[in-house]
Amino acid sequence: MADPRSIEDLKQALQRLPSVGPKSAQRMAFHLLERDREGARQIEEAIRQALSRVNHCHQCNNFSESALCEICCSLKRDAKILCVVETPADLEAIEQARIYRGMYFVLMGHLSPLDDIGPDQLGITRLLKLIADNTIEEVILATNLTLEGQATGDFLLDLLQGKSARITQLARGMPIGGELEYMDAGTLNQAFSDRRSAR
C-alpha cells in the first residue's frame, strides 16, 4: 500500500505551480501515479536537468544555459535598443511575434511591496549598469498593464529620467490588465509600432 504521506507531499508540491489548487493537484497526482508513471519520471528528469543547467544570462537576466543567452550573443540584434520586460514569458511573446530586433532586460517580476519584492529583487541595479555601460539610444519599458506592472514602469521611468537614452513605453492600445504573454501578434505589433515617449 502506498504511503499516504508520499501522496500528500506530491499534492502539496504540485500546488506550488501557478493556478493549481488542491483539487487540480489531487487529479494530477493520481493521474501520474495511476496512469502515467513513465510521464512522471520524464517530468522528474526534465526538472532535475533544468535545475542543474539553467541559470541567468549575465547581460539580460533571462534564463540561459550559458553565461550569455542566444539573443545577447547574436550579431543580428540591434544593441542600441533595450526592451525591459517583467518575465521570460513576456520576452517569448515578443520574440514569437517577430516584431522586435533589439536587446532585452528581464526583471523576473514586478515591484510588489506586499510580497517583499523591491528594486533589489528585480535586479534594477544591474539594469542601470547595463544602460550606463553600453551605447543604448532607446529603452522601451514593456511592463504589463496591470497595477503592479504600471507601478514598476513608473518607478523605472523616474530612475531613467535624465539618462542619455530615449525612454519609450508600449502604446496603450493594449488592454488595461493585460499581460504580454497572452497578447496576440497583431496587438503586440501595433503596441510596438505606436510606442511613444514615456514623458
Side-chain angles (χ1 to χ4, degrees):
M1 179 175 173
D3 179 2
R5 183 71 255 158
S6 297
I7 295 173
E8 282 307 307
D9 288 347
L10 176 57
K11 287 194 262 184
Q12 290 295 319
L14 289 167
Q15 283 185 65
R16 296 179 72 101
L17 294 169
S19 305
V20 176
K23 288 288 183 191
S24 296
Q26 178 175 285
R27 257 193 320 277
M28 286 187 233
F30 289 164
H31 171 78
L32 291 170
L33 292 172
E34 184 181 343
R35 302 245 183 256
D36 196 8
R37 289 194 173 223
E38 182 54 35
R41 289 186 189 96
Q42 288 178 11
I43 292 169
E44 176 190 28
E45 181 58 24
I47 290 172
R48 184 176 16 260
Q49 296 254 357
L51 288 174
S52 67
R53 294 180 181 177
V54 177
N55 286 299
H56 294 277
C57 172
H58 291 183
Q59 183 165 307
C60 75
N61 202 38
N62 194 21
F63 291 130
S64 177
E65 289 190 27
S66 53
L68 289 178
C69 69
E70 287 184 17
I71 291 175
C72 289
C73 287
S74 174
L75 298 175
K76 296 180 179 177
R77 310 294 297 210
D78 186 347
K80 296 193 218 65
I81 306 175
L82 182 70
C83 182
V84 181
V85 296
E86 291 181 32
T87 68
D90 296 336
L91 183 153
E92 285 295 319
I94 295 168
E95 285 297 291
Q96 286 170 9
R98 298 173 186 264
I99 50 173
Y100 174 71
R101 298 302 300 160
M103 309 303 276
Y104 292 94
F105 187 85
V106 183
L107 296 169
M108 291 293 171
H110 49 245
L111 293 174
S112 180
L114 292 176
D115 298 316
D116 290 327
I117 300 175
D120 292 339
Q121 285 71 40
L122 298 182
I124 289 176
T125 304
R126 285 181 56 201
L127 170 62
L128 295 175
K129 183 172 179 358
L130 178 66
I131 294 168
D133 291 350
N134 293 277
T135 310
I136 293 173
E137 295 176 359
E138 181 183 4
V139 177
I140 305 168
L141 299 178
T143 55
N144 289 307
L145 298 182
T146 58
L147 285 175
E148 296 89 349
Q150 288 186 20
T152 305
D154 290 343
F155 178 82
L156 290 171
L157 181 55
D158 288 339
L159 281 181
L160 296 172
Q161 287 300 320
K163 304 282 184 197
S164 58
R166 175 176 169 237
I167 313 300
T168 59
Q169 292 176 310
L170 294 186
R172 296 307 192 198
M174 292 173 56
I176 297 296
E179 298 186 26
L180 288 174
E181 156 179 18
Y182 301 111
M183 295 296 132
D184 62 88
T187 303
L188 276 172
N189 199 351
Q190 192 64 43
F192 264 85
S193 297
D194 294 343
R195 68 184 184 269
R196 56 182 174 75
S197 290
R199 273 192 188 152

